[in-house]
Amino acid sequence: MGDLVNAAVKKLSPLKKLTREQSTLVNDILDFTSQHLTADFPAVYTIYGDAGTGKSVVLSQLFDRLQLAARRDQHSPFYGTTNYFLVNHPEILKVYREIAGTRPELYKKDFARPTSLINQLDKRGQTFDVAVIDEAHLLLSKADHYNNFYHDNQLVEIIKRAKVIIIVFDQYQVLRMKSLWTPARLRKIVDQYPHREHHLRHMFRMTASDDLVAWFNHFTSDYQLTPLPKNARDQYDFRIYDDAEKMRRAIVRRNNEVGLSRILSTSGYPSTLDGGKHYIREGQFKMPWDQYNYTVTPWAELPQTINEVGSIYTCQGFDLNYTGIIIGPPVSQTPGTRQLQINLDRYTDSEAFKKRADLTDPQEITKLEERMIMNSLNVLFKRGVYGTYLYAHDPLLRQTLCQLFAQAGLTLPPED
C-alpha cells in the first residue's frame, strides 16, 4: 500500500525535475510576484493548460520555493510574507498536505480550501500576500450556503484579500453550474488588474500519441466520432470493449500487475449521497459507485477501491496507470450519423445543474449543461498514464466504437 499512497505525492513533489519551459515559467511567476508585492493594486498570473499538461507540478515547485524564501531567506523580497496554497478539491488537498509533512518549509496549514480561508481571514480581519490556486476552474462563482460561502465569487473574494494571485485554469474541467467558468468570465475579472498569462500545451500525463489525444479531444469538444489513428496503441494500451465485465476483469489484471488501475464512469446511473451503495449495471457488470472517503488517503490510492467505480469527483486531478471508462447513458450516437448526442435528461448528477440567477436564456443553459457533460468525460479520458479502455452504454455508440477500433487495425489481446 505504501507505494500506492506515495504515487500522487511523488507526482506533485516540489523536488520533481521540471522541463525547461516549466522551470522558466516558475522563475517568471516569482519575478512577477516580487514586482507586485508592494504595488497599490492586486495582480494576477494565469496558467492555462489542458488536463495532464503539468500545471500542478509547476505550482508545487513554485509554492515550495516561495515558502522557503518566506521562512528562511532574509535577503529575499518574499521573506516574512504570508502565503497560502488553495484548492477546492478535498482529495487533492490531502495530497498537498501529505507533501507538506515531508518538507520543513511547508506547513499543513499553508494548504486550504478557499471558503475555509476566506471565512477564517474575515473572522480575524486579516489579508495575506500571495495566493496560489490549483484547479481554479473549481472555484465557486456563486454563493453556496451549504458550504458556508456567502459571497458571489471565490476568485473575486481572494483577490480582495491578497496582493498577488497565481492560478491554473482549464475550461474543459468545469463540471458544475456553481463553479461556472469560461475564459471570457475569467478575463472579465482579471482584466481589471495587472496580469500576465502563460499557456502550457504539452501532454505529460499520458504516454499516448498526440493523434490519440486529438481523437479524445474531437470526441469531447466537437461531439464527433472520427476514425481512430493507426498509432492509437503505439506505446499506449488503448482498447475498446463491447462487454463491460470483460473490461473490468482486464483492469483488475492491470491493477494486480502494476497497481493504480481503476474503473471510472460518467454520470447517468443511480447515485445519491445517502450513505448507501448505488450500483452501475451493464450486462453481467455490476459495481457500486465510489463511497465518500473519510481517510487522509485519496480515493484513487485506496487498494479496496478496485471494487468501486470512480467518478469525476474522486479521480479529477489524479494519475492512474490504467483506466476502464464507462461512457454512460447521457452520451449516445445520433442514428445515421457519426455525431454524438447529449441526453440531458439522463444525467443523474443533481448537483451539477443547479440554477443560477445570472443565467436565464434556455439555449445558453442547455449548451452549458451539454458542455459540462462532455467536460466530465474529458476529465475521465485524461486519467490513464499507460492505458485507457472504453465501453459505451449506448448500443449504437458501442457498435461504432468497436468498428472504428477494428478499422484502425486494432484488436484486443488474447487474454480478452
Side-chain angles (χ1 to χ4, degrees), residues 378-396:
N378 176 66
V379 168
L380 301 186
F381 277 167
K382 305 293 176 64
R383 296 305 104 199
V385 175
Y386 303 113
T388 296
Y389 305 168
L390 301 182
Y391 169 87
H393 165 84
D394 178 59
L396 178 57

Side-chain angles (χ1 to χ4, degrees), residues 297-335:
T297 303
W299 176 90
E301 297 180 353
L302 292 170
Q304 64 267 30
T305 58
I306 186 62
N307 298 315
E308 296 177 359
V309 180
S311 68
I312 50 174
Y313 302 119
T314 46
C315 73
Q316 186 176 24
F318 288 94
D319 291 2
L320 291 165
N321 288 329
Y322 294 86
T323 58
I325 298 170
I326 298 173
I327 304 172
V331 181
S332 61
Q333 182 181 346
T334 303

Side-chain angles (χ1 to χ4, degrees), residues 268-283:
Y269 300 93
S271 178
T272 308
L273 291 176
D274 58 5
K277 287 190 176 184
H278 298 273
Y279 290 87
I280 294 177
R281 291 179 170 88
E282 288 288 346

Side-chain angles (χ1 to χ4, degrees), residues 213-246:
V213 173
W215 185 85
F216 287 135
N217 290 337
H218 280 303
F219 194 109
T220 58
S221 296
D222 304 326
Y223 306 176
Q224 291 285 339
L225 285 164
T226 56
L228 277 164
K230 303 290 186 183
N231 63 354
R233 294 193 68 176
D234 287 2
Q235 301 180 338
Y236 196 74
D237 189 3
F238 177 70
R239 307 183 190 183
I240 292 176
Y241 284 84
D242 64 0
D243 184 322
E245 175 58 19
K246 285 185 178 179

Side-chain angles (χ1 to χ4, degrees), residues 13-25:
S13 169
L15 299 178
K16 188 170 182 176
K17 184 175 177 59
L18 302 183
T19 66
R20 181 177 297 179
E21 179 191 13
Q22 290 172 326
S23 182
T24 300
L25 175 57

Side-chain angles (χ1 to χ4, degrees), residues 314-379:
T314 46
C315 73
Q316 186 176 24
F318 288 94
D319 291 2
L320 291 165
N321 288 329
Y322 294 86
T323 58
I325 298 170
I326 298 173
I327 304 172
V331 181
S332 61
Q333 182 181 346
T334 303
T337 75
R338 289 298 175 92
Q339 184 77 24
L340 295 169
Q341 177 176 306
I342 313 301
N343 309 303
L344 292 174
D345 60 328
R346 306 198 71 179
Y347 204 62
T348 52
D349 183 358
S350 59
E351 285 293 311
F353 298 154
K354 288 194 171 178
K355 293 180 179 179
R356 299 177 57 110
D358 57 344
L359 289 177
T360 57
D361 181 351
Q363 288 187 327
E364 180 186 10
I365 293 171
T366 295
K367 286 183 179 179
L368 287 169
E369 290 175 346
E370 289 178 348
R371 179 70 264 152
M372 288 181 185
I373 287 177
M374 289 310 243
N375 282 355
S376 70
L377 185 54
N378 176 66
V379 168

